[in-house]
């Protein structure tokens, strides 16, 4: 059975801090890893990663994949209160996307 | 540019009633999905559809029925609602690259079964 584990489950930081979120997986026939941000509504797409070692960046967010060790990290630098959300990791396997339970990030002013 | 929409956004029903949740997308995406999201379980796939008239079960299909007569619509029916089906339901769609392509989510329907 495919498995996606995110850590930590939740964290609280102050504005300006850097946050690192982890996603480890065991998936048959890995195809892709996706990160989503969910703020009390629908998940919104952040990144799709398919190759090891290639960092994807969007503003203060970046992510990288390690297909050998089967994990990905999502970094958020210079956090702002608007970064408060649940961050979901999803891994594409043979025939579906499997989602982790998410990491809840709270950024305090 | 509506994208993907769901209706209703909130629904309260009683045990045993039939409920249909609607999903509509304007991107002409091939694939459409229904998920439920519950605390501690994350997003779980209920059903998906690769094209009109093609549907398949996901992880948690029991108690649900889907149909897809038109590419843009993918309704989800709870034939006889149970309390355990209280959840937030998300519809999603993606392009032709299959089940593992980037999925774009609708705003969700919060369903309460009393």
């Amino acid at each position: 059975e495919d498995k996606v584990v995110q850590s930590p489950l939740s964290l609280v930081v102050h504005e300006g801090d850097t946050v690192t979120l982890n996603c480890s997986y065991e998936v048959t026939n890995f195809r892709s890893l996706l990160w989503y941000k969910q703020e009390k509504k629908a998940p919104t797409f952040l990144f799709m990663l398919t190759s090891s070692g290639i960092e994807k960046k969007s503003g203060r967010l970046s992510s990288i994949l390690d297909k050998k060790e089967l994990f990905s990290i999502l970094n958020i630098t210079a956090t702002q209160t608007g970064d408060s959300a649940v961050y979901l990791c999803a891994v594409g396997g043979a025939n579906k996307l499997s989602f982790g339970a998410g990491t809840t990030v709270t950024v305090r002013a | 540019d509506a994208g993907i929409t769901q209706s209703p956004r909130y629904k309260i029903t009683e045990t045993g009633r039939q409920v249909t949740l609607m999903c509509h997308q304007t991107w002409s995406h091939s694939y459409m999905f229904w998920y439920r999201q519950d605390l501690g379980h994350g997003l779980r796939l209920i059903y998906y559809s690769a094209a009109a008239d093609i549907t398949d079960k996901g992880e948690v299909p029991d108690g649900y029925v889907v149909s897809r007569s038109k590419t843009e619509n993918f309704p989800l029916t709870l034939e006889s609602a149970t309390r355990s089906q209280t959840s937030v339901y998300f519809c999603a769609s993606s392009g032709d690259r299959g089940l593992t392509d980037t999925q774009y989510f609708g705003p969700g329907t919060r369903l309460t079964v009393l």
Side-chain angles (χ1 to χ4, degrees):
Chain A
E1 185 179 323
D2 296 344
K3 193 190 296 187
V4 180
V5 178
Q6 292 186 245
S7 63
L9 283 179
S10 64
L11 70 162
V12 179
V13 298
H14 289 96
E15 273 191 317
D17 288 349
T18 293
V19 162
T20 298
L21 309 182
N22 302 289
C23 176
S24 63
Y25 62 89
E26 293 175 27
V27 168
T28 305
N29 294 331
F30 173 89
R31 294 191 183 180
S32 59
L33 186 144
L34 297 92
W35 284 98
Y36 288 86
K37 178 182 181 183
Q38 187 174 22
E39 300 170 87
K40 295 191 186 299
K41 48 187 180 180
T44 53
F45 173 73
L46 293 174
F47 298 112
M48 176 190 262
L49 302 150
T50 56
S51 301
S52 269
I54 299 174
E55 185 181 50
K56 293 227 172 171
K57 290 198 73 161
S58 176
R60 296 176 293 100
L61 277 66
S62 64
S63 183
I64 197 160
L65 173 67
D66 186 327
K67 288 164 75 172
K68 184 179 172 189
E69 300 297 329
L70 307 182
F71 77 92
S72 173
I73 60 172
L74 175 69
N75 279 319
I76 311 172
T77 58
T79 52
Q80 302 171 357
T81 54
D83 295 325
S84 296
V86 176
Y87 291 84
L88 298 170
C89 173
V91 180
N95 59 2
K96 64 174 183 173
L97 272 184
S98 298
F99 282 83
T103 294
T104 301
V105 175
T106 303
V107 181
R108 297 210 194 284
Chain B
D1 182 356
I4 183 164
T5 56
Q6 292 182 235
S7 61
R9 296 292 313 280
Y10 302 90
K11 176 76 177 175
I12 299 174
T13 191
E14 294 176 339
T15 302
R17 292 197 181 257
Q18 184 179 80
V19 176
T20 296
L21 310 183
M22 305 301 292
C23 179
H24 176 79
Q25 53 106 354
T26 59
W27 292 311
S28 299
H29 279 169
S30 300
Y31 283 81
M32 295 186 75
F33 307 84
W34 274 107
Y35 291 89
R36 59 178 291 173
Q37 188 173 38
D38 306 288
L39 272 174
H41 286 282
L43 282 157
R44 292 182 290 174
L45 182 65
I46 304 170
Y47 269 95
Y48 69 94
S49 167
D53 297 321
I54 301 174
T55 63
D56 208 346
K57 295 178 181 179
E59 232 177 304
V60 289
D62 293 343
Y64 303 95
V65 173
V66 293
S67 62
R68 196 162 174 213
S69 56
K70 291 184 177 181
T71 302
E72 60 267 31
N73 296 324
F74 191 39
L76 175 76
T77 297
L78 289 66
E79 293 189 298
S80 178
T82 64
R83 289 200 182 93
S84 65
Q85 292 177 309
T86 293
S87 186
V88 179
Y89 291 85
F90 287 103
C91 179
S93 69
S94 69
D96 295 335
R97 286 186 294 173
L99 293 160
T100 56
D101 197 359
T102 303
Q103 295 179 16
Y104 297 92
F105 287 80
T109 295
R110 184 174 293 275
L111 176 68
T112 302
V113 183
L114 301 176

